[in-house]
Amino acid sequence: MRRKKVMRAAAAALLMLGGLSAAGTLPAAAQNAGEAPASKSLLTAMQHDFGLTTSQAVARLKAEKTATDLDPKARATAGAAYGGSWFDAKSNRLTVAVTDDASAGVRQKLRDAGVTVRTVEHSARELNAAKAHVDRLKAPKSVTSWHADPSTGSVVIDVVRTKAADNDVQRFLASARKAGPVTVHKVAGSASTLAAGTVGGDPYYTGNVRCSIGFSVYGGFVTAGHCGQPSAAVYGWDRSYVGNFQGSSFPDNDYAWVNVGSGWWTVPVVLGWGTTSDQLVRGSNVAPPGTSICRSGSTSHWHCGSVLALNETVNYSQGAVHQLTKTNVCAEPGDSGGSFISGDQAQGVTSGGWGNCSSGGETWFQPINEILSRYGLTLHTA
Protein backbone atom coordinates (compact mmCIF):
# COMPACT_ATOMS: atom_id res chain seq x y z
CA MET A 1 0.00 0.00 0.00
CA ARG A 2 2.68 2.52 1.04
CA ARG A 3 4.65 1.94 -2.18
CA LYS A 4 1.64 2.76 -4.34
CA LYS A 5 0.76 5.85 -2.31
CA VAL A 6 4.34 7.09 -2.36
CA MET A 7 4.38 6.74 -6.15
CA ARG A 8 1.21 8.81 -6.40
CA ALA A 9 2.52 11.46 -4.03
CA ALA A 10 5.73 11.65 -6.05
CA ALA A 11 3.74 12.01 -9.26
CA ALA A 12 1.82 14.87 -7.69
CA ALA A 13 5.04 16.57 -6.62
CA LEU A 14 6.44 16.38 -10.15
CA LEU A 15 3.53 18.33 -11.62
CA MET A 16 4.19 22.04 -12.04
CA LEU A 17 2.57 24.23 -9.37
CA GLY A 18 0.98 27.57 -10.19
CA GLY A 19 -2.33 29.31 -10.60
CA LEU A 20 -4.33 32.01 -12.33
CA SER A 21 -5.57 35.04 -10.43
CA ALA A 22 -9.03 36.48 -10.94
CA ALA A 23 -9.62 40.18 -11.45
CA GLY A 24 -11.84 42.00 -9.00
CA THR A 25 -13.88 43.90 -11.59
CA LEU A 26 -15.81 42.82 -14.66
CA PRO A 27 -12.91 42.19 -17.10
CA ALA A 28 -12.64 42.08 -20.86
CA ALA A 29 -12.24 38.59 -22.30
CA ALA A 30 -8.74 39.26 -23.63
CA GLN A 31 -7.61 40.27 -20.14
CA ASN A 32 -8.65 36.92 -18.66
CA ALA A 33 -7.38 34.49 -21.27
CA GLY A 34 -4.13 33.57 -19.53
CA GLU A 35 -2.36 30.30 -20.15
CA ALA A 36 -4.24 27.14 -21.08
CA PRO A 37 -5.00 25.29 -17.79
CA ALA A 38 -3.94 21.95 -19.22
CA SER A 39 -1.04 19.59 -19.64
CA LYS A 40 -0.09 18.17 -23.03
CA SER A 41 -1.77 14.88 -22.18
CA LEU A 42 -4.99 16.62 -21.14
CA LEU A 43 -5.02 18.43 -24.48
CA THR A 44 -4.62 15.05 -26.17
CA ALA A 45 -7.62 13.71 -24.25
CA MET A 46 -9.66 16.78 -25.20
CA GLN A 47 -8.79 16.29 -28.86
CA HIS A 48 -9.88 12.67 -28.69
CA ASP A 49 -13.21 13.30 -26.94
CA PHE A 50 -14.20 16.47 -28.81
CA GLY A 51 -12.57 15.92 -32.21
CA LEU A 52 -10.46 19.08 -31.93
CA THR A 53 -7.04 20.00 -33.22
CA THR A 54 -4.36 20.96 -30.69
CA SER A 55 -4.84 24.67 -31.36
CA GLN A 56 -8.62 24.32 -31.08
CA ALA A 57 -8.30 22.48 -27.75
CA VAL A 58 -5.96 25.17 -26.40
CA ALA A 59 -8.33 27.91 -27.53
CA ARG A 60 -11.34 26.20 -25.99
CA LEU A 61 -9.68 25.65 -22.62
CA LYS A 62 -8.53 29.27 -22.50
CA ALA A 63 -12.02 30.46 -23.41
CA GLU A 64 -13.61 28.21 -20.78
CA LYS A 65 -11.26 29.55 -18.14
CA THR A 66 -12.29 33.08 -19.11
CA ALA A 67 -15.99 32.18 -19.05
CA THR A 68 -15.75 30.48 -15.66
CA ASP A 69 -14.01 33.54 -14.15
CA LEU A 70 -16.42 35.95 -15.82
CA ASP A 71 -19.68 34.15 -15.02
CA PRO A 72 -20.26 35.27 -11.40
CA LYS A 73 -19.32 38.87 -12.25
CA ALA A 74 -21.68 38.90 -15.24
CA ARG A 75 -24.46 37.51 -13.02
CA ALA A 76 -23.94 40.34 -10.55
CA THR A 77 -23.90 42.94 -13.34
CA ALA A 78 -27.21 41.70 -14.77
CA GLY A 79 -28.88 41.78 -11.35
CA ALA A 80 -32.61 41.05 -11.24
CA ALA A 81 -32.69 40.91 -15.05
CA TYR A 82 -30.36 37.89 -15.07
CA GLY A 83 -31.89 35.02 -17.05
CA GLY A 84 -29.07 32.45 -16.83
CA SER A 85 -25.76 31.83 -18.58
CA TRP A 86 -23.90 29.16 -20.52
CA PHE A 87 -20.69 28.62 -22.49
CA ASP A 88 -21.16 28.49 -26.26
CA ALA A 89 -18.54 26.11 -27.68
CA LYS A 90 -19.12 27.37 -31.24
CA SER A 91 -18.20 30.98 -30.43
CA ASN A 92 -15.96 30.16 -27.43
CA ARG A 93 -17.82 32.84 -25.47
CA LEU A 94 -20.03 33.08 -22.41
CA THR A 95 -23.69 33.79 -23.23
CA VAL A 96 -25.69 35.69 -20.62
CA ALA A 97 -29.47 35.85 -20.90
CA VAL A 98 -31.25 38.98 -19.66
CA THR A 99 -34.89 40.05 -19.61
CA ASP A 100 -36.30 43.24 -21.11
CA ASP A 101 -35.71 44.89 -17.75
CA ALA A 102 -31.96 45.03 -18.39
CA SER A 103 -30.90 48.59 -19.20
CA ALA A 104 -28.89 49.54 -22.26
CA GLY A 105 -25.98 50.35 -19.95
CA VAL A 106 -26.01 46.89 -18.39
CA ARG A 107 -26.14 45.23 -21.81
CA GLN A 108 -23.24 47.31 -23.06
CA LYS A 109 -21.15 46.56 -19.98
CA LEU A 110 -21.66 42.85 -20.55
CA ARG A 111 -20.76 43.13 -24.24
CA ASP A 112 -17.64 45.15 -23.42
CA ALA A 113 -16.51 42.29 -21.18
CA GLY A 114 -16.75 39.85 -24.10
CA VAL A 115 -20.14 38.38 -23.23
CA THR A 116 -22.81 37.48 -25.79
CA VAL A 117 -26.09 38.95 -24.57
CA ARG A 118 -29.41 37.25 -25.34
CA THR A 119 -32.85 38.67 -24.45
CA VAL A 120 -35.25 36.16 -22.88
CA GLU A 121 -38.79 36.26 -21.55
CA HIS A 122 -38.19 34.72 -18.13
CA SER A 123 -35.64 35.64 -15.47
CA ALA A 124 -33.58 32.97 -13.73
CA ARG A 125 -35.62 33.63 -10.59
CA GLU A 126 -38.87 32.87 -12.45
CA LEU A 127 -37.46 29.68 -14.00
CA ASN A 128 -36.11 28.51 -10.64
CA ALA A 129 -39.52 29.13 -9.07
CA ALA A 130 -41.14 26.98 -11.75
CA LYS A 131 -38.59 24.23 -11.11
CA ALA A 132 -39.24 24.45 -7.37
CA HIS A 133 -42.92 23.75 -8.12
CA VAL A 134 -41.93 20.64 -10.10
CA ASP A 135 -39.69 19.56 -7.20
CA ARG A 136 -42.80 19.32 -5.02
CA LEU A 137 -44.54 16.91 -7.39
CA LYS A 138 -44.25 13.14 -7.07
CA ALA A 139 -42.50 11.96 -10.22
CA PRO A 140 -43.02 8.50 -11.76
CA LYS A 141 -39.90 6.41 -12.35
CA SER A 142 -40.02 7.09 -16.08
CA VAL A 143 -39.36 10.80 -15.42
CA THR A 144 -35.60 10.92 -15.10
CA SER A 145 -34.74 14.51 -14.16
CA TRP A 146 -35.59 18.19 -14.60
CA HIS A 147 -33.83 21.56 -14.52
CA ALA A 148 -34.40 25.24 -15.30
CA ASP A 149 -32.85 25.90 -18.72
CA PRO A 150 -32.16 29.52 -19.70
CA SER A 151 -31.38 28.66 -23.32
CA THR A 152 -34.94 27.39 -23.90
CA GLY A 153 -36.61 29.64 -21.33
CA SER A 154 -38.31 26.65 -19.73
CA VAL A 155 -38.06 23.79 -17.29
CA VAL A 156 -36.59 20.90 -19.27
CA ILE A 157 -37.95 17.52 -18.15
CA ASP A 158 -36.25 14.30 -19.22
CA VAL A 159 -38.48 11.26 -19.69
CA VAL A 160 -37.69 7.74 -20.83
CA ARG A 161 -38.45 7.64 -24.54
CA THR A 162 -40.41 4.41 -24.50
CA LYS A 163 -42.56 5.59 -21.56
CA ALA A 164 -43.26 9.17 -22.67
CA ALA A 165 -46.89 8.48 -23.60
CA ASP A 166 -47.73 6.64 -20.35
CA ASN A 167 -50.61 8.12 -18.36
CA ASP A 168 -48.58 8.75 -15.21
CA VAL A 169 -45.91 10.62 -17.19
CA GLN A 170 -48.52 12.73 -18.97
CA ARG A 171 -50.23 13.59 -15.66
CA PHE A 172 -46.88 14.67 -14.21
CA LEU A 173 -46.14 16.87 -17.24
CA ALA A 174 -49.60 18.44 -17.09
CA SER A 175 -49.04 19.36 -13.43
CA ALA A 176 -45.58 20.71 -14.22
CA ARG A 177 -46.94 22.98 -16.98
CA LYS A 178 -49.19 24.73 -14.46
CA ALA A 179 -46.09 26.38 -12.99
CA GLY A 180 -44.58 27.64 -16.24
CA PRO A 181 -43.16 26.65 -19.62
CA VAL A 182 -41.97 23.05 -19.98
CA THR A 183 -39.79 21.39 -22.61
CA VAL A 184 -39.82 17.58 -22.76
CA HIS A 185 -36.54 15.84 -23.60
CA LYS A 186 -36.72 12.11 -24.35
CA VAL A 187 -33.79 9.95 -23.19
CA ALA A 188 -32.82 6.32 -23.56
CA GLY A 189 -32.93 5.15 -19.96
CA SER A 190 -33.74 5.85 -16.31
CA ALA A 191 -31.24 7.34 -13.88
CA SER A 192 -29.52 5.06 -11.39
CA THR A 193 -26.66 5.40 -8.94
CA LEU A 194 -23.28 3.96 -9.89
CA ALA A 195 -22.11 1.95 -6.91
CA ALA A 196 -21.00 -1.63 -7.64
CA GLY A 197 -20.21 -4.93 -5.98
CA THR A 198 -16.62 -5.73 -5.03
CA VAL A 199 -14.39 -6.05 -8.10
CA GLY A 200 -10.79 -5.17 -8.97
CA GLY A 201 -9.49 -1.71 -9.81
CA ASP A 202 -8.32 1.19 -7.73
CA PRO A 203 -11.34 1.69 -5.47
CA TYR A 204 -12.39 2.11 -1.95
CA TYR A 205 -14.70 -0.40 -0.36
CA THR A 206 -17.38 -0.32 2.29
CA GLY A 207 -19.13 -3.63 2.96
CA ASN A 208 -19.60 -5.28 -0.43
CA VAL A 209 -19.86 -1.94 -2.26
CA ARG A 210 -17.11 -0.40 -4.38
CA CYS A 211 -17.07 3.32 -5.09
CA SER A 212 -14.51 5.94 -6.10
CA ILE A 213 -12.71 8.70 -4.22
CA GLY A 214 -13.79 12.20 -5.18
CA PHE A 215 -11.46 14.96 -3.94
CA SER A 216 -9.03 15.29 -1.09
CA VAL A 217 -9.99 17.62 1.73
CA TYR A 218 -7.92 18.36 4.79
CA GLY A 219 -8.48 15.33 6.99
CA GLY A 220 -10.04 13.05 4.40
CA PHE A 221 -11.90 12.90 1.08
CA VAL A 222 -15.37 13.57 -0.29
CA THR A 223 -17.48 11.08 -2.21
CA ALA A 224 -21.09 10.08 -2.94
CA GLY A 225 -23.58 9.69 -0.10
CA HIS A 226 -25.19 6.54 -1.50
CA CYS A 227 -21.88 4.71 -1.09
CA GLY A 228 -22.06 4.45 2.70
CA GLN A 229 -23.79 5.46 5.92
CA PRO A 230 -22.22 7.48 8.77
CA SER A 231 -19.67 5.47 10.80
CA ALA A 232 -19.32 2.76 8.12
CA ALA A 233 -15.71 1.57 7.79
CA VAL A 234 -13.82 2.30 4.56
CA TYR A 235 -11.04 0.20 3.07
CA GLY A 236 -8.61 1.15 0.33
CA TRP A 237 -7.66 -0.48 -2.95
CA ASP A 238 -5.53 -3.02 -1.07
CA ARG A 239 -8.23 -3.70 1.56
CA SER A 240 -6.32 -1.92 4.31
CA TYR A 241 -8.34 0.26 6.68
CA VAL A 242 -8.56 3.94 5.68
CA GLY A 243 -11.18 5.54 7.94
CA ASN A 244 -14.94 5.94 8.39
CA PHE A 245 -17.80 7.85 6.85
CA GLN A 246 -18.03 10.95 9.02
CA GLY A 247 -21.15 12.29 7.32
CA SER A 248 -23.44 11.05 4.56
CA SER A 249 -26.71 12.20 2.94
CA PHE A 250 -28.82 10.31 0.38
CA PRO A 251 -31.38 10.80 -1.10
CA ASP A 252 -32.31 14.53 -1.24
CA ASN A 253 -28.52 15.02 -1.45
CA ASP A 254 -25.79 12.65 -2.60
CA TYR A 255 -22.65 13.55 -0.70
CA ALA A 256 -20.43 12.19 2.04
CA TRP A 257 -16.97 12.55 3.51
CA VAL A 258 -14.52 10.03 4.91
CA ASN A 259 -11.71 10.70 7.37
CA VAL A 260 -8.25 9.43 6.40
CA GLY A 261 -5.68 7.91 8.76
CA SER A 262 -3.88 4.64 9.49
CA GLY A 263 -0.89 5.48 7.25
CA TRP A 264 -2.99 6.96 4.43
CA TRP A 265 -2.75 10.61 3.49
CA THR A 266 -4.32 13.00 0.97
CA VAL A 267 -2.91 14.80 -2.06
CA PRO A 268 -4.64 17.36 -4.35
CA VAL A 269 -4.61 15.08 -7.38
CA VAL A 270 -7.15 13.49 -9.71
CA LEU A 271 -5.99 10.26 -11.37
CA GLY A 272 -5.70 10.33 -15.17
CA TRP A 273 -5.54 6.52 -15.43
CA GLY A 274 -2.89 6.68 -18.19
CA THR A 275 -5.26 8.48 -20.56
CA THR A 276 -3.89 11.78 -19.30
CA SER A 277 -1.40 12.74 -16.61
CA ASP A 278 -2.68 12.96 -13.05
CA GLN A 279 -4.30 16.39 -12.64
CA LEU A 280 -3.53 18.84 -9.86
CA VAL A 281 -6.51 20.52 -8.16
CA ARG A 282 -6.14 24.28 -7.67
CA GLY A 283 -9.65 25.42 -6.77
CA SER A 284 -13.38 24.89 -7.17
CA ASN A 285 -14.71 27.66 -9.41
CA VAL A 286 -18.01 26.54 -10.95
CA ALA A 287 -17.88 25.76 -14.68
CA PRO A 288 -20.97 27.12 -16.52
CA PRO A 289 -23.12 25.00 -18.84
CA GLY A 290 -21.40 24.31 -22.15
CA THR A 291 -17.96 24.03 -20.57
CA SER A 292 -15.87 20.91 -21.12
CA ILE A 293 -15.45 18.66 -18.11
CA CYS A 294 -13.73 15.34 -17.35
CA ARG A 295 -14.48 12.53 -14.91
CA SER A 296 -12.20 10.04 -13.14
CA GLY A 297 -13.55 6.81 -11.66
CA SER A 298 -12.37 3.36 -10.65
CA THR A 299 -14.38 1.45 -13.29
CA SER A 300 -14.33 3.38 -16.56
CA HIS A 301 -11.38 5.58 -15.59
CA TRP A 302 -11.02 8.92 -17.49
CA HIS A 303 -13.68 10.35 -19.81
CA CYS A 304 -14.61 13.86 -20.91
CA GLY A 305 -17.68 15.69 -22.16
CA SER A 306 -19.63 18.89 -21.47
CA VAL A 307 -21.70 20.43 -18.69
CA LEU A 308 -25.35 20.27 -19.80
CA ALA A 309 -27.22 21.86 -16.88
CA LEU A 310 -26.85 23.09 -13.31
CA ASN A 311 -29.26 22.59 -10.40
CA GLU A 312 -31.04 19.58 -11.86
CA THR A 313 -33.33 17.35 -9.80
CA VAL A 314 -32.74 13.65 -10.53
CA ASN A 315 -35.42 11.05 -9.82
CA TYR A 316 -33.64 7.89 -8.61
CA SER A 317 -35.60 4.85 -7.48
CA GLN A 318 -34.46 5.59 -3.89
CA GLY A 319 -35.84 9.15 -4.07
CA ALA A 320 -35.17 12.52 -5.68
CA VAL A 321 -31.77 14.20 -5.35
CA HIS A 322 -31.61 17.97 -5.81
CA GLN A 323 -29.05 20.50 -7.09
CA LEU A 324 -27.06 18.06 -9.21
CA THR A 325 -25.10 19.05 -12.32
CA LYS A 326 -25.87 17.19 -15.54
CA THR A 327 -23.19 16.16 -18.07
CA ASN A 328 -22.88 14.01 -21.18
CA VAL A 329 -19.82 12.25 -19.75
CA CYS A 330 -20.28 8.48 -19.58
CA ALA A 331 -19.92 6.47 -16.36
CA GLU A 332 -20.43 2.91 -15.13
CA PRO A 333 -21.12 1.08 -11.84
CA GLY A 334 -18.24 1.63 -9.39
CA ASP A 335 -17.56 5.18 -10.65
CA SER A 336 -19.85 6.62 -7.96
CA GLY A 337 -18.18 9.26 -5.84
CA GLY A 338 -15.40 9.87 -8.39
CA SER A 339 -14.03 13.22 -9.47
CA PHE A 340 -15.48 15.70 -11.95
CA ILE A 341 -12.89 18.34 -12.87
CA SER A 342 -12.78 21.20 -15.39
CA GLY A 343 -9.25 22.35 -16.15
CA ASP A 344 -7.70 22.45 -12.69
CA GLN A 345 -10.97 23.30 -10.90
CA ALA A 346 -12.79 20.66 -8.85
CA GLN A 347 -16.47 20.48 -9.81
CA GLY A 348 -18.06 17.62 -7.88
CA VAL A 349 -18.45 13.91 -7.15
CA THR A 350 -20.20 11.40 -9.42
CA SER A 351 -23.75 10.59 -8.34
CA GLY A 352 -25.42 8.51 -11.06
CA GLY A 353 -26.56 8.37 -14.65
CA TRP A 354 -27.81 6.21 -17.47
CA GLY A 355 -25.98 4.44 -20.29
CA ASN A 356 -22.35 3.30 -20.27
CA CYS A 357 -18.98 4.10 -21.82
CA SER A 358 -19.58 1.85 -24.84
CA SER A 359 -22.88 3.30 -26.05
CA GLY A 360 -22.74 6.66 -24.26
CA GLY A 361 -25.13 8.24 -21.80
CA GLU A 362 -25.48 11.05 -19.26
CA THR A 363 -24.09 11.40 -15.75
CA TRP A 364 -24.82 13.73 -12.82
CA PHE A 365 -22.52 14.97 -10.09
CA GLN A 366 -23.03 16.59 -6.69
CA PRO A 367 -21.26 19.99 -6.73
CA ILE A 368 -18.14 20.11 -4.57
CA ASN A 369 -18.78 23.53 -3.01
CA GLU A 370 -22.05 22.39 -1.45
CA ILE A 371 -20.26 19.43 0.16
CA LEU A 372 -17.48 21.62 1.53
CA SER A 373 -20.02 24.08 2.95
CA ARG A 374 -22.24 21.40 4.46
CA TYR A 375 -19.46 19.74 6.45
CA GLY A 376 -17.15 22.72 6.98
CA LEU A 377 -14.38 21.10 4.94
CA THR A 378 -11.46 22.71 3.11
CA LEU A 379 -10.50 21.46 -0.33
CA HIS A 380 -6.88 20.26 -0.52
CA THR A 381 -5.36 22.31 -3.36
CA ALA A 382 -1.94 22.55 -4.97
Side-chain angles (χ1 to χ4, degrees), residues 124 127-129 131 146-150 152 154-156 309-312:
L127 289 180
N128 287 333
K131 176 187 175 291
W146 53 92
H147 70 275
D149 180 37
T152 62
S154 66
V155 176
V156 174
L310 308 180
N311 190 26
E312 179 146 295

Side-chain angles (χ1 to χ4, degrees), residues 36-124:
S39 65
K40 181 178 178 180
S41 53
L42 178 56
L43 289 174
T44 300
M46 292 290 293
Q47 292 172 66
H48 176 269
D49 288 317
F50 289 98
L52 304 175
T53 65
T54 301
S55 60
Q56 288 171 335
V58 169
R60 175 160 176 169
L61 287 169
K62 284 184 177 181
E64 288 177 353
K65 169 63 177 166
T66 297
T68 298
D69 290 344
L70 184 57
D71 189 42
K73 302 178 181 68
R75 183 190 300 256
T77 298
Y82 178 73
S85 56
W86 60 94
F87 179 77
D88 182 0
K90 292 183 178 179
S91 65
N92 268 355
R93 290 160 64 97
L94 181 71
T95 297
V96 175
V98 296
T99 64
D100 287 332
D101 296 331
S103 68
V106 165
R107 293 169 187 269
Q108 191 58 50
K109 189 172 184 180
L110 290 169
R111 292 190 184 100
D112 289 344
V115 167
T116 298
V117 179
R118 180 187 291 185
T119 302
V120 294
E121 181 178 356
H122 302 287
S123 69

Side-chain angles (χ1 to χ4, degrees), residues 8-382:
R8 290 188 179 174
L14 289 172
L15 292 172
M16 184 176 294
L17 299 178
L20 297 171
S21 61
T25 58
L26 194 66
Q31 295 172 320
N32 266 15
E35 296 296 326
S39 65
K40 181 178 178 180
S41 53
L42 178 56
L43 289 174
T44 300
M46 292 290 293
Q47 292 172 66
H48 176 269
D49 288 317
F50 289 98
L52 304 175
T53 65
T54 301
S55 60
Q56 288 171 335
V58 169
R60 175 160 176 169
L61 287 169
K62 284 184 177 181
E64 288 177 353
K65 169 63 177 166
T66 297
T68 298
D69 290 344
L70 184 57
D71 189 42
K73 302 178 181 68
R75 183 190 300 256
T77 298
Y82 178 73
S85 56
W86 60 94
F87 179 77
D88 182 0
K90 292 183 178 179
S91 65
N92 268 355
R93 290 160 64 97
L94 181 71
T95 297
V96 175
V98 296
T99 64
D100 287 332
D101 296 331
S103 68
V106 165
R107 293 169 187 269
Q108 191 58 50
K109 189 172 184 180
L110 290 169
R111 292 190 184 100
D112 289 344
V115 167
T116 298
V117 179
R118 180 187 291 185
T119 302
V120 294
E121 181 178 356
H122 302 287
S123 69
R125 181 176 297 178
E126 291 171 334
L127 289 180
N128 287 333
K131 176 187 175 291
H133 170 83
V134 181
D135 283 343
R136 292 190 288 271
L137 301 176
K138 182 173 178 58
K141 292 181 179 179
S142 299
V143 175
T144 298
S145 62
W146 53 92
H147 70 275
D149 180 37
S151 67
T152 62
S154 66
V155 176
V156 174
I157 300 179
D158 286 1
V159 301
V160 177
R161 183 177 295 109
T162 57
K163 302 292 184 179
D166 288 0
N167 290 336
D168 57 350
V169 173
Q170 290 301 310
R171 284 193 295 269
F172 177 85
L173 294 176
S175 297
R177 290 189 176 102
K178 293 178 181 178
V182 165
T183 299
V184 177
H185 178 218
K186 297 178 182 179
V187 298
S190 298
S192 62
T193 56
L194 296 166
T198 300
V199 296
D202 191 14
Y204 74 85
Y205 299 93
T206 178
N208 65 343
V209 172
R210 173 172 63 83
C211 282
S212 302
I213 292 173
F215 291 94
S216 291
V217 296
Y218 286 99
F221 65 82
V222 295
T223 187
H226 69 264
C227 290
Q229 297 296 314
S231 78
V234 172
Y235 301 88
W237 63 271
D238 62 350
R239 298 295 187 153
S240 65
Y241 174 73
V242 174
N244 296 79
F245 278 86
Q246 299 298 301
S248 178
S249 177
F250 179 80
D252 187 28
N253 307 292
D254 194 4
Y255 50 59
W257 83 279
V258 175
N259 69 315
V260 168
S262 303
W264 291 77
W265 62 86
T266 64
V267 290
V269 172
V270 172
L271 296 176
W273 295 100
T275 301
T276 185
S277 59
D278 294 351
Q279 301 296 303
L280 283 177
V281 177
R282 293 193 173 96
S284 58
N285 293 332
V286 178
T291 306
S292 64
I293 193 167
C294 296
R295 181 194 55 72
S296 181
S298 63
T299 298
S300 57
H301 297 171
W302 181 271
H303 289 275
C304 299
S306 300
V307 176
L308 299 181
L310 308 180
N311 190 26
E312 179 146 295
T313 300
V314 178
N315 187 36
Y316 294 128
S317 61
Q318 300 94 329
V321 176
H322 303 91
Q323 297 180 325
L324 298 183
T325 298
K326 181 180 187 176
T327 77
N328 59 9
V329 186
C330 68
E332 297 181 355
D335 288 327
S336 278
S339 320
F340 267 91
I341 188 168
S342 182
D344 56 10
Q345 300 296 304
Q347 297 300 309
V349 300
T350 304
S351 174
W354 60 266
N356 55 54
C357 290
S358 297
S359 59
E362 294 177 334
T363 304
W364 291 269
F365 66 81
Q366 179 83 62
I368 182 69
N369 290 331
E370 181 182 357
I371 309 173
L372 300 177
S373 175
R374 168 63 180 83
Y375 294 119
L377 302 169
T378 299
L379 185 67
H380 192 170
T381 57

